[in-house]
Amino acid sequence: MNELDNEINQCNNQKSRRGFLTGSFLACVGTGLLASSALGAESLPATESNSGVWYFEDFGAVGDFYLENGEVNANPTDDTLAIIAALEALPEGARIYGKPNACYWFGELGLNVSHIFIKKNVHIDWQGAGLKCRMQYNSESNSTALFEFLDCSGSFMNYVFEDISYEADGSSRGVIPLFIRNVNKHTENYNIGPFHVISGQSLLTCYSSNPEGARASDISFIGSCTGGNVYYGVNLGYSGDRFSGAYSVNKVRRLAFLYGVDTINIVAHAQMGLPSSGNIMLSGGHNAGVAAKLNNVVIKANINQLNGPVRIYRAADASGTFENIDLDINIEQVGSNLGASEALIVIDDSSGSTPSEGMSIDRLHVAISNKGEGRIPIKQLARSDNMGVINIQHVPYFNAEQFLPDFTIQNGRNSFTKGFVGDVSTTLTTLRLSHILLKNNPAIIRAHVTVSASEGADFFGQNTVIAKYALHGFMTSNHFFNIQSLKLIDQSATGAKTPEITIVAQNEDVSANTKGSGESEDKKDPDYIGTLVCGVVGYESNILGSMQVTVELF
C-alpha cells in the first residue's frame, strides 16, 4: 500500500466521530459497496407509522446494480423515478433512508442538467448505499449533477458515489454527485457526509447565479469524506460561505477551487495533483463583470505530488479582492509538470494584463514546505499597486523583495502542520524545525504541539487519540535541536485502545554534504537538520491509519 501524506480533520470530528467509511474504505473502492457501516444496519430502522421517517424502497426503489453474489447486474433497475417520487412526497423536515448494502443505478445523465432535484429541506441518509450513473456525453466542461439542492438545505449522508464513465486522465470533468445551487433565495445549514466518491467531477459543488440575493452558507463535511479520482475536491463559486470540512482524495486536478466566497476552513490531502494550471485555485472574481471577494479563507493541505501551482488569480475582465487568506501547504514532491524555475504559489492575472484596477490582496499568510530544496515558494507574476501585507516564513535562498515586489513583507509564521495517511504503527511524522525557524543564532523554542492519530483514513475513526503538549526546547546556531521539557496539557481518546504518542528530537549531520573540495573533516563545523519526530504506539501493523502534527510557536 502506498503511503499517503495527509492532513487532519478536526472540524469534521467535532461534529461526528461515526464516519461509516472506517474499516470499509478499501472495500467500497473495489466494489462500490460498503463492507460494513457504523451507521447502517442489516435492516431498515424501526419506525412507527406517521413518525416522519421514510424509505426509498416504499416508492419502488430497488438498488440492484449488484447481484447478491456481488457481480454487476447486466440489467439493473433505473431507480430515478422512484427516488424522485419519494422526494416529491416528503414533507418539510422529513428524514428518508436508503437500504444498507443496496446500490442504486440512475442510468445515463444528460449534459449540463441536474438529474434529480431536491426542493425541500429534507435529510437523506443512504445508510452506506452506492449511487451509480454515467455521462451520456463526453465534455470537458459541464455542470451535470446527479442530485441538486435547489434553493433549499438539508443533509446528505452515508453514500458511495461513482460516475462509471469518468477517467481521471480523460477530457471529461464527469458528473457532480451533489450540487448546491441558489437562484432565488439564501439558504443555510447543510450536513454532508460521511461519503466516498470513487470517481466523478467533485466531492461537492456550490454555485449561485445571483450572488447578491441567493447564496448557500454554513455547509459542513461530517465524518470521513474521501475521494478516489475526481476533477475537483470542493468547488465553491459565489456560494458556500462558512464552509468547514476536511477531505482526502487520490487523484485530483484542483484540490480546491474557490471564488467569491467568505469564511472557508479546509483541511485537505491529495496523493496526486494531476497536471493543471493550478492544483489549488483561489479567485476573487471568476466571472466577467461580476465583482467578488475571497475573504477569511484557511487552507491546510498536504499534496504528495504537486503538478500545478497553488494559484491566486483573477479571471479575465473580472474584479475581486483577497483579504485574510491563510495557506499552510506541505508538498512532498514536485512533479514534472512544474519546471524548476516555476514557483509553488503564484499570484497572477489570467488575462496577462496588470491587475492594478481589478485585483487587490491584503493580509495573505503563507507557510509552505517541500522536500525539493531550492524551489521558489511564491512569486508575484503581475505587477500591481493594490498589494497589501504578506506574512511568510523565512525560506532559505528566497529573496522576498525580488519575487513579491509590490507587497509589504512580514517575515514569520507561528503555525505549521503536516500529516499523512498510511500505516501509523510504523511511519513517523517529522517536521523540520531548522527549516521552519531558520535560526542563525542560538534560540529558545516554545511551542504547543498537537498530535492526532487514528485507525482509519478519516482521521477520527476507530481508536482515535488527540494529545496536546507544551514543548520547551533549544536550537543552536548550527541547527542542533534539543527538547528540554515536554508536558502533556490535554488528551482525549475514543475506542477500546489507548495509543501512546511519542515525541522526540532528531538531528542529522549534513555538514559532509556542504564541504568544499579543499576542506578537511576536522576544519568543518557540523551542521544539522533539527527535526521534531512524532509517532504512535499501540496500533496494529499494516492497518490504514492517519496522523497529523501541528506545531504552534509562541
Side-chain angles (χ1 to χ4, degrees):
M1 181 183 300
N2 292 329
E3 177 181 313
L4 308 179
D5 283 345
N6 206 322
E7 280 289 329
I8 198 167
N9 179 344
Q10 291 188 11
C11 48
N12 295 16
N13 178 61
Q14 291 170 356
K15 302 178 182 70
S16 172
R17 292 181 182 267
R18 304 177 65 192
F20 77 92
L21 290 173
T22 302
S24 56
F25 175 79
L26 297 179
C28 74
V29 171
T31 66
L33 293 173
L34 296 177
S36 62
S37 170
L39 295 181
E42 291 302 319
S43 59
L44 294 172
T47 180
E48 298 177 3
S49 59
N50 302 321
S51 65
V53 179
W54 301 63
Y55 310 105
F56 286 116
E57 271 61 31
D58 291 341
F59 295 85
V62 180
D64 62 353
F65 185 86
Y66 290 105
L67 301 174
E68 290 185 1
N69 61 6
E71 295 181 357
V72 174
N73 188 345
N75 296 292
T77 303
D78 188 332
D79 288 312
T80 298
L81 295 180
I83 300 297
I84 291 175
L87 293 174
E88 290 180 347
L90 289 179
E92 286 279 339
R95 182 175 299 274
I96 189 166
Y97 289 89
K99 183 179 180 180
N101 299 320
C103 188
Y104 301 96
W105 171 243
F106 296 94
E108 292 188 337
L109 276 59
L111 182 64
N112 295 327
V113 295
S114 292
H115 195 60
I116 297 177
F117 289 91
I118 304 169
K119 300 180 180 180
K120 303 172 184 176
N121 298 332
V122 295
H123 307 281
I124 302 174
D125 185 347
W126 294 99
Q127 295 203 107
L131 312 175
K132 290 186 183 288
C133 62
R134 64 176 297 126
M135 278 287 296
Q136 186 175 1
Y137 303 102
N138 188 359
S139 172
E140 180 180 354
S141 178
N142 70 80
S143 57
T144 301
L146 179 56
F147 286 90
E148 177 181 319
F149 276 106
L150 177 60
D151 284 336
C152 65
S153 59
S155 303
F156 204 83
M157 303 177 291
N158 291 322
Y159 57 96
V160 178
F161 170 85
E162 182 180 15
D163 171 3
I164 64 174
S165 60
Y166 179 76
E167 297 179 359
D169 299 323
S171 60
S172 174
R173 298 191 184 187
V175 176
I176 302 166
L178 183 61
F179 187 17
I180 297 175
R181 187 164 65 98
N182 289 66
V183 177
N184 297 310
K185 65 179 181 179
H186 298 305
T187 57
E188 60 183 7
N189 297 326
Y190 298 81
N191 289 327
I192 313 297
F195 62 77
H196 178 66
V197 175
I198 298 174
S199 57
Q201 183 173 147
S202 67
L203 305 184
L204 174 69
T205 296
C206 299
Y207 180 74
S208 173
S209 58
N210 176 21
E212 294 298 322
R215 300 170 73 100
S217 63
D218 298 290
I219 302 170
S220 299
F221 274 5
I222 303 297
S224 178
C225 300
T226 59
N229 301 326
V230 294
Y231 193 94
Y232 300 101
V234 295
N235 182 359
L236 308 179
Y238 301 115
S239 184
D241 300 332
R242 298 190 296 277
F243 171 87
S244 177
Y247 52 91
S248 172
V249 297
N250 182 26
K251 292 182 178 181
V252 65
R253 293 196 184 274
R254 308 205 190 284
L255 186 57
F257 189 12
L258 312 178
Y259 54 99
V261 288
D262 195 335
T263 312
I264 307 298
N265 192 336
I266 289 175
V267 177
H269 163 74
Q271 171 70 358
M272 172 68 74
L274 295 173
S276 68
S277 58
N279 283 162
I280 295 178
M281 301 284 279
L282 307 178
S283 173
H286 186 65
N287 292 358
V290 180
K293 293 182 177 181
L294 190 65
N295 291 350
N296 307 312
V297 174
V298 177
I299 297 179
K300 293 184 177 182
N302 278 287
I303 302 176
N304 194 58
Q305 184 175 124
L306 187 77
N307 273 293
V310 177
R311 192 168 177 214
I312 303 171
Y313 81 111
R314 70 160 187 152
D317 301 322
S319 62
T321 61
F322 303 78
E323 294 183 355
N324 200 25
I325 311 297
D326 192 322
L327 303 176
D328 187 347
I329 312 295
N330 182 73
I331 300 165
E332 279 301 301
Q333 56 183 313
V334 180
S336 59
N337 191 57
L338 276 179
S341 62
E342 295 184 74
L344 304 178
I345 300 176
V346 297
I347 301 169
D348 70 345
D349 178 84
S350 64
S351 66
S353 62
T354 302
S356 57
E357 296 182 359
M359 179 182 185
S360 64
I361 300 176
D362 195 17
R363 300 189 302 280
L364 175 61
H365 311 276
V366 176
I368 188 165
S369 60
N370 73 96
K371 289 186 176 179
E373 297 292 341
R375 300 298 297 244
I376 300 171
I378 183 169
K379 185 177 183 179
Q380 177 187 342
L381 299 181
R383 297 299 302 269
S384 174
D385 296 329
N386 297 333
M387 301 306 182
V389 173
I390 182 170
N391 182 353
I392 61 175
Q393 94 261 31
H394 195 153
V395 179
Y397 317 112
F398 174 62
N399 187 332
E401 289 77 11
Q402 174 186 352
F403 292 106
L404 301 166
D406 298 321
F407 283 92
T408 300
I409 299 167
Q410 296 179 351
N411 288 319
R413 273 290 300 246
N414 68 343
S415 180
F416 299 84
T417 304
K418 184 179 179 181
F420 76 95
V421 171
D423 187 352
V424 294
S425 69
T426 59
T427 308
L428 303 173
T429 298
T430 62
L431 280 86
R432 179 176 170 180
L433 293 185
S434 55
H435 177 75
I436 293 173
L437 300 172
L438 198 69
K439 297 294 184 180
N440 295 318
N441 298 304
I444 295 173
I445 300 174
R446 294 186 177 91
H448 284 155
V449 180
T450 303
V451 182
S452 173
S454 175
E455 288 184 333
D458 57 356
F459 299 100
F460 294 95
Q462 303 176 39
N463 302 314
T464 297
V465 59
I466 307 171
K468 184 176 183 179
Y469 297 85
L471 180 146
H472 186 192
F474 187 81
M475 181 170 286
T476 65
S477 58
N478 59 354
H479 306 142
F480 188 92
F481 172 54
N482 176 50
I483 296 177
Q484 296 175 310
S485 67
L486 188 67
K487 181 181 179 181
L488 180 64
I489 300 174
D490 188 29
Q491 179 170 314
S492 62
T494 62
K497 298 179 182 178
T498 308
E500 178 184 354
I501 300 295
T502 62
I503 299 178
V504 298
Q506 180 175 289
N507 294 279
E508 178 186 357
D509 186 354
V510 294
S511 56
N513 300 328
T514 59
K515 289 183 175 69
S517 59
E519 291 183 288
S520 62
E521 292 290 335
D522 57 352
K523 290 184 178 180
K524 179 67 179 180
D525 292 332
D527 190 21
Y528 296 95
I529 294 178
T531 306
L532 187 71
V533 180
C534 302
V536 60
V537 178
Y539 290 138
E540 296 180 15
S541 61
N542 300 319
I543 292 180
L544 188 67
S546 51
M547 181 187 297
Q548 173 182 278
V549 178
T550 298
V551 175
E552 183 179 6
L553 305 171
F554 59 90

